[in-house]
């Protein structure tokens, strides 16, 4: 099965990519779509880190469209307090991912946010399923949190850039 895999950053993708090597029945197609990341330099560092990881695995990444923070900021202005802020953030990215999966004819999409112990998994599942239903695809959810340590070991051994905040301007000041 082909799935569109929304990737938030290299470190969060490290363990899922190892996981998929053991699952030849699933082919992930990587898509980096994160207009939430602030500022632009941080966006580029995370993008480049993923490009390096993907090349290490012989994979390609769809990096289109370019940085579009205005989309995220317009949504965020409606609800800047967590946890609703994060729901908005997931919804924006997942609806775009579900749309892209449907456009490409893939039956499902997933996200590497499901690797992170710091993300809100209940909201990820809710918003993932909502977005999937809107676009006639499935939401592929795998709880990759048990691979947290392994993922960090891989990221460290490859010298991937490892950020110390989630991504948005608010989280930059909450660290
Ligand atoms: S804290 Fe993270 S998930 Fe929540 S809105 Fe900011 S970037 Fe998005």
């Amino acid at each position: 099965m082909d799935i569109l895999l929304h990737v938030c950053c290299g470190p969060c993708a490290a363990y899922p990519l190892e996981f998929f090597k053991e699952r030849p029945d699933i082919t992930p197609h990587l898509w980096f779509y994160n207009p939430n990341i602030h500022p632009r330099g941080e966006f580029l560092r995370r993008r480049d880190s993923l490009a390096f990881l993907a090349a290490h695995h012989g994979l390609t990444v769809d990096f289109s469209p370019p940085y579009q923070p205005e989309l995220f900021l317009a949504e965020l202005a409606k609800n800047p307090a967590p946890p609703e802020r994060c729901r908005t953030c997931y919804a924006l990215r997942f609806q775009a991912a579900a749309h892209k999966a449907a456009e490409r004819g893939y039956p499902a999409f997933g996200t590497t946010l499901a690797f992170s112990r710091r993300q809100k998994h209940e909201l990820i599942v809710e918003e993932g399923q909502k977005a999937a239903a809107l676009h006639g695809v499935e939401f592929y959810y795998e709880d990759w949190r048990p691979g947290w340590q392994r993922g960090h070991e891989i990221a460290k051994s490859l010298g991937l850039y490892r950020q110390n905040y989630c991504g948005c301007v608010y989280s930059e000041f909450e660290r």
Side-chain angles (χ1 to χ4, degrees):
M1 173 174 77
D2 289 293
I3 68 164
L4 185 88
L5 184 65
H6 163 261
V7 183
C8 54
C9 62
C12 283
Y15 180 73
L17 292 187
E18 186 172 84
F19 170 91
F20 283 121
K21 281 191 172 165
E22 305 300 317
R23 292 292 305 270
D25 54 316
I26 303 176
T27 304
H29 300 273
L30 314 186
W31 186 41
F32 181 80
Y33 179 69
N34 302 291
N36 55 307
I37 299 173
H38 175 89
R40 180 183 174 77
E42 179 70 17
F43 176 88
L44 297 176
R45 273 192 290 277
R46 296 189 195 189
R47 183 199 66 182
D48 293 349
S49 157
L50 172 60
F52 181 85
L53 176 71
H56 175 76
H57 285 282
L59 298 171
T60 56
V61 186
D62 180 351
F63 285 111
S64 66
Y67 189 41
Q68 296 177 319
E70 66 281 3
L71 290 183
F72 175 70
L73 293 172
E75 285 300 309
L76 195 65
K78 298 174 194 164
N79 226 331
E84 288 308 303
R85 175 179 90 208
C86 302
R87 182 189 289 283
T88 302
C89 182
Y90 298 149
L92 176 70
R93 291 184 280 174
F94 296 169
Q95 283 178 26
H99 175 75
K100 193 174 262 289
E103 203 176 59
R104 290 188 181 179
Y106 302 153
F109 82 94
T111 177
T112 58
L113 287 164
F115 164 78
S116 177
R117 287 182 181 171
R118 300 197 175 98
Q119 297 298 328
K120 298 169 176 61
H121 282 242
E122 282 179 21
L123 295 186
I124 287 175
V125 171
E126 275 178 37
E127 292 306 318
Q129 288 176 344
K130 258 193 241 172
L134 268 176
H135 293 278
V137 295
E138 296 291 321
F139 180 55
Y140 172 89
Y141 175 75
E142 191 73 49
D143 186 352
W144 283 305
R145 285 174 290 187
W148 180 255
Q149 196 53 41
R150 174 66 189 145
H152 284 283
E153 282 167 14
I154 300 168
K156 203 170 170 187
S157 70
L158 292 177
L160 297 183
Y161 167 65
R162 289 178 294 158
Q163 65 272 9
N164 61 3
Y165 66 101
C166 187
C168 67
V169 63
Y170 290 93
S171 63
E172 189 187 0
F173 290 101
E174 287 166 357
R175 59 184 148 162

